[in-house]
Amino acid sequence: MTNLRMRPARTSDVHEIRRLVAPYVTSGALISKDAVEYFESIQEFMVVEDLEAHGSARLIGCGALHILWEDLGEIRTLAADERARGRGVGRMLVQSLLERARGIGVDRVFCLTFEVEFFRRIGFEIMSNQETIDHEVFAELLRSHDEGVAEFLDLARVKPNTLGNTRMLRHL
């Protein structure tokens, strides 16, 4: 029997994170990123390891919490190894990232996903519009160069990358 362990990601995990993400990039579910982008945001990531009986560990899942604003975060780059699907790895990661969001004062967490039912089961709802954003905050967010912010705001410049995805939100 195997054991799963979650921990904050380390810089030494970047190559394995990219391996986990690669099939999702190929399918179009996630956007391709250069290694430097993963290194720059490594502190946002949690990873799940499968602890083998012989003492070694293999990374089987990853996910990140990116802060967009005072009360708003985004779950991004959520990926699980194909062999680990159905073992609760995604749920473990999302729950951990939501706890992290609560701990730093975030009230709402956004995601852009093709996996609507998965996120629905964890309490996310489909966003119908952006009316919940204060106009001053919206103006501030428009200044951001972060793609996640652009995705949250549903800006035209990210439409080619987000076609078919569903914008979802969870209130904590």
Side-chain angles (χ1 to χ4, degrees):
M1 180 170 165
T2 59
N3 293 316
L4 302 181
R5 176 177 66 186
M6 188 160 9
R7 63 169 174 78
R10 300 186 284 258
T11 57
S12 59
D13 295 324
V14 166
H15 299 292
E16 283 296 295
I17 290 171
R18 293 185 79 205
R19 175 191 60 79
L20 289 169
V21 169
Y24 296 94
V25 170
T26 300
S27 73
L30 292 177
I31 297 170
S32 178
K33 295 179 185 176
D34 293 324
V36 68
E37 293 178 77
Y38 288 105
F39 284 112
E40 289 174 342
S41 61
I42 197 66
Q43 71 281 357
E44 297 178 352
F45 277 85
M46 295 296 289
V47 295
V48 174
E49 294 177 313
D50 189 349
L51 303 173
E52 308 286 334
H54 50 75
S56 67
R58 182 175 61 90
L59 244 105
I60 60 169
C62 66
L65 174 69
H66 182 73
I67 303 306
L68 302 175
W69 194 250
E70 177 181 6
D71 65 340
L72 181 65
E74 177 190 11
I75 289 181
R76 54 169 61 168
T77 321
L78 187 66
D81 187 290
E82 182 65 32
R83 295 170 288 179
R85 293 198 82 170
R87 292 179 56 195
V89 172
R91 180 176 286 278
M92 284 175 60
L93 284 161
V94 171
Q95 295 297 352
S96 175
L97 296 170
L98 292 174
E99 283 303 313
R100 184 184 270 188
R102 278 186 198 95
I104 58 177
V106 169
D107 296 330
R108 298 175 298 158
V109 177
F110 157 78
C111 71
L112 184 69
T113 185
F114 289 104
E115 300 293 336
V116 173
E117 289 310 312
F118 169 79
F119 279 97
R120 237 189 212 136
R121 287 191 303 268
I122 303 174
F124 283 76
E125 297 175 356
I126 295 173
M127 294 174 59
S128 57
N129 58 45
Q130 300 302 314
E131 292 176 9
T132 59
I133 302 175
D134 178 80
H135 294 293
E136 289 179 27
V137 172
F138 186 88
E140 288 289 329
L141 288 173
L142 281 176
R143 296 179 182 162
S144 174
H145 298 287
D146 185 270
E147 291 299 306
V149 172
E151 291 164 352
F152 176 74
L153 297 177
D154 200 25
L155 301 181
R157 71 179 169 88
V158 295
K159 292 290 186 196
N161 294 331
T162 62
L163 292 176
N165 280 342
T166 300
R167 293 160 50 238
M168 300 184 77
L169 188 69
R170 175 161 170 187
H171 294 270
L172 302 179

